[in-house]
């Protein structure tokens, strides 16, 4: 009878893995907990350690709770500390997904231990997983060629003799992560059919749909770099829908990739809705920092990027991107000395790195620093050198660098050179399916080779108690309705998203003694823009505190801080109507959305009745909803300007 608990535990492990494959996450965790108790009661230390490792994997992969995952991984390692060399030590060393180990030196050390145990004890599944994690560590350290060879070998084993599907799922995640950061998109495509043939990629719940989403994120990133944004968006939306149709948790990799696309498009509120709660993971951390910087929240961008740099240690690939963002943020805060420090470290990490996209980012950051230091000639030369080094297969990156050149020439007062570079950017854009944010669209309009025809500018001008609208020598006077005033606020700031409650407050004012619109309604407490900023700051502080507690081995304190952070994230998510919490018709935000939309569309219709061409264009470029914006395009026949 002494072995009975161990036997029962083995059955529980089987049921746990089956539960995860069918998308029943909590049931799988419960079964693993039962297995751990059984192995512990039987005195089977090695199997108890494997059960702990699997619990860590479950919390990491299916729950997204990295704090709990690390606690279980540590417990597993502690159980095996006094055991003689054994296969289980290898499995525990690389129990989690390699892409969730932030520091590549740590990942490499664990992978080497696992590879040693795999080859000594003859376990091909452990060997494949160790090769995948070791390959990813090499890629992150800048040894791209060697790392990708190791990853190829791992994938070949999973398409052949290796048959552990759970280990394979984590290893293939490492492969896709390496392809993503090193821009090895062709290599990822090369293996997709084989991975699909052996069932590692597919629509089934569990590992299959997770890997399908990760694969879609890598493919979409390639499409984004190629300027095929509509295709990328469709692929990601389809992947998100497939994932959430068979899994009880939000989509991960494709949602983060879509958020990154939204930031490029200037749709910042949409990006935040996709990223809420995901910023503990490294893949999401960089887009979150970019989002903060795009909003002008420089301190938050720096805090997030700095946390990322602490997490990744000597990682060269991710370090280059994070340091480039730090340098840009420091320049935005007019701290040239701090930007120079970031650039110096950035250039050290980028030196000899054979990843064109990252080399270009490093050169761009250096050019911006030179410009801020007053050396515009050298800044322009550096940006031109970066542009010359970009391969033709990265047209979106070429556009980004050309726009940088336009701005540098404008800063130098050389309008002719700025016009030439703007024309080059426009020429590249003509062959792409790309939606530039309003800031870039306005820049290209400013330096268009051909001046816009007379009469293509529409003016909104305040005239006492009314507004005048003029275009093509036609001028009409319209009463200053709420809808027209909302419209004016949006046109004043092209491309800037405004929450309807903030828009209402701006136009109507906030009653000192009246009720707070942001806290009315049945949809729960809504957060205004100031409150959302405060929440973001507090979440970032808690994320940093969790990392510090884990580094100190204070697991209980880390868990308590994680619970606080999770609660704040839930509250922030509710402000976006996320987490399955729909807004009711009586909520303040919903009422504001309906009223603002109706008022704005009425104002646009009145303008259209008097100025048909200008009104139709305006109707296409005004976006209404919980978040509203005026989003002009470079080829619009009418350019709207507010004069007041």
């Amino acid at each position: 009878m002494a072995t009975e608990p161990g036997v029962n535990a083995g059955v529980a492990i089987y049921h746990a893995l089956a539960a995860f494959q069918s998308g029943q996450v909590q049931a799988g965790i419960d079964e693993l907990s039962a297995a751990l108790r059984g192995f512990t009661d039987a005195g089977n230390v090695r199997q108890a350690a494997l059960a702990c490792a699997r619990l860590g994997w479950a919390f990491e992969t299916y729950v997204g709770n990295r704090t709990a995952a690390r606690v279980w991984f540590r417990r597993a390692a502690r159980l095996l500390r006094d055991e003689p060399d054994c296969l289980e030590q290898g499995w525990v060393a690389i129990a989690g997904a390699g892409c969730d180990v932030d520091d590549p030196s740590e990942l490499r050390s664990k992978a080497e231990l696992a590879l040693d145990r795999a080859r000594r004890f003859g376990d091909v599944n452990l060997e494949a997983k160790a090769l995948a994690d070791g390959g990813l560590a090499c890629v992150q350290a800048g040894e791209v060629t060697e790392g990708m060879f190791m990853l190829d070998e791992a994938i070949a084993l999973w398409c052949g003799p290796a048959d552990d599907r759970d280990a394979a799922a984590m290893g293939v995640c490492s492969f896709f992560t390496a392809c993503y950061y090193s821009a090895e998109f062709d290599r990822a495509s090369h293996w997709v059919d084989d991975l699909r043939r052996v069932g590692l990629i597919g629509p089934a719940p569990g590992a299959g749909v997770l890997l399908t989403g990760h694969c879609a994120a890598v493919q979409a990133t390639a499409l984004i770099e190629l300027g095929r944004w509509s295709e990328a968006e469709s692929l990601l939306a389809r992947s998100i829908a497939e994932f959430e149709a068979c899994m009880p948790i939000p989509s991960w990799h494709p949602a983060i990739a879509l958020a990154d696309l939204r930031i490029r498009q200037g749709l910042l509120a949409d990006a935040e809705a996709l990223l809420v709660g995901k910023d503990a993971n490294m893949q999401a951390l960089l887009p979150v920092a970019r989002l903060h910087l795009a909003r002008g929240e420089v301190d938050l961008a720096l805090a997030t990027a700095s946390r990322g740099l602490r997490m990744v240690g000597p990682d060269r690939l991710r370090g280059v991107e994070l340091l480039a963002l730090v340098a840009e943020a420091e320049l935005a805060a007019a701290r040239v000395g701090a930007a120079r420090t970031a650039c110096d470290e950035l250039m050290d990490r980028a030196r000899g790195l054979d990843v064109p996209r990252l080399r270009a980012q490093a050169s761009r950051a250096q050019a911006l620093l030179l410009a801020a230091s007053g050396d515009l000639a050298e800044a322009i030369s550096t940006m031109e050198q970066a542009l010359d080094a970009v391969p033709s297969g990265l047209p979106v990156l070429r556009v980004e660098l050309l726009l940088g050149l336009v701005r540098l020439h404008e800063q130098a007062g050389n309008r002719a050179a700025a016009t030439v570079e703007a024309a080059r950017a426009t020429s590249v854009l003509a062959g792409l399916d790309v939606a530039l944010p309003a800031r870039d669209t306005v820049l290209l309009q400013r330096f268009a080779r051909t001046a816009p025809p007379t009469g293509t500018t529409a003016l909104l001008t305040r005239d006492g108690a009314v507004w005048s609208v003029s275009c093509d020598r036609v001028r009409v006077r319209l009463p200053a309705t709420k809808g027209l005033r909302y419209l004016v606020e949006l046109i004043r700031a092209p491309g800037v998203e405004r929450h309807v409650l903030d828009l209402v407050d701006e136009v109507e004012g906030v009653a000192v003694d009246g009720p707070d619109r942001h806290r009315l309604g049945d949809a729960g407490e809504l957060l205004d823009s100031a409150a959302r900023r405060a929440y973001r700051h507090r979440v970032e502080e808690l994320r940093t505190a969790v990392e510090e507690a884990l580094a100190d081995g204070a697991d209980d304190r880390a868990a308590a801080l994680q619970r606080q952070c999770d609660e704040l994230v839930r509250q922030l998510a509710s402000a976006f109507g996320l987490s399955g919490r729909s807004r009711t018709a009586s909520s303040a935000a919903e009422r504001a959305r309906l009223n603002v939309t109706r008022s704005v569309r009425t104002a646009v219709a009145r303008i259209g009745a008097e100025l048909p061409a200008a009104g139709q264009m305006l109707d296409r470029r005004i976006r209404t909803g919980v978040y509203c914006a005026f989003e002009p395009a470079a080829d619009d026949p009418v350019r709207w300007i507010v004069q007041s």
Side-chain angles (χ1 to χ4, degrees):
M1 296 295 294
T3 60
E4 187 64 22
V7 172
N8 291 338
V11 173
I13 289 284
Y14 173 82
H15 288 312
L17 297 179
F20 289 127
Q21 285 300 318
S22 62
Q24 300 175 57
V25 176
Q26 189 56 52
I29 290 174
D30 292 343
E31 291 286 358
L32 284 176
S33 299
L36 176 58
R37 289 192 296 271
F39 288 132
T40 302
D41 292 344
N44 193 333
V45 174
R46 294 183 183 182
Q47 288 300 314
L50 289 180
C52 288
R54 286 191 176 100
L55 275 166
W57 161 77
F59 275 96
E60 178 183 77
T61 303
Y62 292 110
V63 181
N65 188 334
R66 283 160 53 89
T67 303
R70 291 188 205 181
V71 170
W72 283 115
F73 290 146
R74 283 181 178 174
R75 181 180 175 87
R78 193 163 55 244
L79 286 171
L80 295 176
R81 186 176 298 154
D82 298 326
E83 291 287 304
D85 288 358
C86 58
L87 198 59
E88 289 80 5
Q89 290 166 340
W91 280 112
V92 166
I94 56 172
C99 54
D100 285 323
V101 179
D102 301 316
D103 188 332
S105 58
E106 177 188 350
L107 180 59
R108 183 182 295 209
S109 174
K110 290 180 175 180
E112 288 172 349
L113 185 152
L115 193 59
D116 170 76
R117 300 298 190 272
R119 288 174 173 168
R120 284 168 58 187
F121 294 99
D123 189 329
V124 69
N125 285 298
L126 180 59
E127 181 181 10
K129 176 67 162 62
L131 283 167
D133 286 0
L136 173 60
C138 287
V139 169
Q140 291 171 336
E143 302 162 20
V144 177
T145 301
E146 179 185 348
M148 294 311 302
F149 280 152
M150 292 174 69
L151 285 156
D152 282 342
E153 186 177 354
I155 300 296
L157 287 174
W158 281 312
C159 293
D163 58 2
D164 186 323
R165 286 297 181 255
D166 293 316
M170 290 186 284
V172 174
C173 269
S174 291
F175 170 68
F176 283 138
T177 299
C179 292
Y180 172 82
Y181 282 112
S182 62
E184 289 272 356
F185 302 124
D186 289 341
R187 199 181 217 108
S189 298
H190 173 78
W191 283 107
V192 165
D193 288 341
D194 287 315
L195 292 170
R196 188 173 286 114
R197 174 179 56 78
V198 296
L200 283 170
I201 292 178
V209 75
L210 279 167
L211 288 178
T212 300
H214 201 165
C215 179
V218 174
Q219 291 176 318
T221 301
L223 291 171
I224 291 169
E225 295 290 349
L226 291 170
R228 294 157 60 181
W229 286 11
S230 295
E231 284 183 63
E233 184 171 342
S234 297
L235 174 61
L236 293 170
R238 185 167 62 251
S239 180
I240 291 170
E242 288 174 355
F243 184 94
E244 296 183 354
C246 60
M247 293 294 288
I249 56 177
S251 169
W252 196 257
H253 296 291
I256 294 170
L258 184 56
D260 194 47
L261 176 58
R262 293 288 183 249
I263 294 168
R264 290 172 181 251
Q265 294 168 326
L267 305 177
L268 305 185
D270 290 351
E272 182 171 17
L274 289 160
L275 290 170
V276 166
K278 298 182 176 72
D279 59 319
N281 184 277
M282 188 62 218
Q283 186 189 352
L285 194 146
L286 188 59
V288 169
R290 288 181 182 138
L291 174 63
H292 292 322
L293 186 57
R295 279 204 177 108
E297 297 173 340
V298 174
D299 53 345
L300 260 178
L302 285 169
T304 304
S306 298
R307 174 163 60 92
L309 286 167
R310 290 193 297 271
M311 290 166 65
V312 303
D315 186 318
R316 294 181 66 192
L317 274 68
R318 292 178 293 182
V320 165
E321 293 195 271
L322 287 165
L323 285 163
L325 190 142
V326 168
E328 188 172 353
E330 294 289 12
L331 289 176
R335 293 191 287 260
V336 177
R340 182 173 290 107
T341 300
C343 270
D344 288 345
E345 185 179 351
L346 167 62
M347 300 310 290
D348 284 342
R349 293 207 193 196
R351 189 170 291 111
L353 198 60
D354 189 22
V355 182
R357 178 173 57 87
L358 298 183
R359 290 203 310 269
Q361 286 189 14
S363 295
R364 177 180 177 275
Q366 189 72 14
L368 294 177
L369 173 63
L370 288 165
S373 303
D375 194 346
L376 282 169
E378 188 61 28
I380 290 169
S381 175
T382 300
M383 192 76 83
E384 288 173 340
Q385 290 171 22
L387 182 62
D388 290 341
V390 173
S392 58
L394 295 174
V396 172
L397 180 56
R398 292 186 66 79
V399 170
E400 291 174 4
L401 294 174
L402 284 166
L403 290 170
L405 272 175
V406 174
R407 291 191 170 92
L408 289 175
H409 283 304
E410 181 181 30
Q411 191 175 343
N414 190 340
R415 182 175 180 83
T419 302
V420 169
E421 302 301 350
R424 290 176 67 192
T426 302
S427 177
V428 177
L429 282 167
L432 306 181
D433 173 23
V434 168
L436 290 180
R439 174 172 175 262
D440 293 336
T441 298
V442 171
L443 178 70
L444 291 178
Q445 286 176 337
R446 216 164 43 237
F447 292 100
R449 281 189 181 276
T450 305
T454 305
T456 57
T457 297
L459 294 178
L460 271 165
T461 309
R462 187 67 182 260
D463 188 4
V466 299
W467 282 85
S468 294
V469 186
S470 58
C471 183
D472 267 341
R473 302 179 185 177
V474 176
R475 184 182 183 194
V476 296
R477 289 160 58 87
L478 298 175
T481 61
K482 287 182 183 179
L484 186 57
R485 289 154 66 196
Y486 296 145
L487 191 60
V488 166
E489 290 300 318
L490 295 174
I491 294 173
R492 281 187 202 276
V496 176
E497 295 175 312
R498 304 288 297 276
H499 193 287
V500 286
L501 292 174
D502 298 331
L503 197 58
V504 169
D505 286 348
E506 182 73 27
V507 169
E508 300 181 33
V510 181
V512 176
D513 300 322
D516 185 349
R517 275 187 291 267
H518 298 86
R519 300 182 183 273
L520 294 175
D522 298 329
E525 189 174 88
L526 299 170
L527 306 175
D528 63 16
S529 56
R532 288 195 298 274
R533 281 195 298 273
Y535 268 60
R536 293 179 200 124
H537 278 276
R538 183 56 182 154
V539 167
E540 180 56 41
E541 289 172 359
L542 287 168
R543 296 286 192 211
T544 299
V546 167
E547 293 293 333
E548 291 173 350
L550 288 170
D552 293 341
D555 294 345
D556 290 342
R557 179 157 58 91
L561 290 166
Q562 184 65 52
R563 286 192 293 272
Q564 290 182 47
C565 188
D566 290 344
E567 178 56 32
L568 283 179
V569 166
R570 278 192 290 272
Q571 294 177 30
L572 186 58
S574 71
F576 292 91
L578 301 177
S579 305
R581 188 175 182 180
S582 61
R583 300 177 182 276
T584 64
S586 59
S587 73
E590 179 62 13
R591 286 198 303 272
R593 183 189 69 80
L594 291 171
N595 291 336
V596 168
T597 297
R598 186 183 304 114
S599 300
V600 167
R601 294 301 173 189
T602 298
V604 171
R606 293 195 65 173
I607 292 173
E610 303 291 342
L611 303 166
Q616 289 173 15
M617 195 285 297
L618 190 59
D619 187 56
R620 291 196 303 272
R621 299 306 182 200
I622 288 290
R623 174 162 59 92
T624 54
V626 175
Y627 286 85
C628 305
F630 172 54
E631 298 169 332
D635 58 353
D636 283 344
V638 178
R639 185 164 65 102
W640 280 88
I641 297 176
V642 174
Q643 289 184 340
S644 58

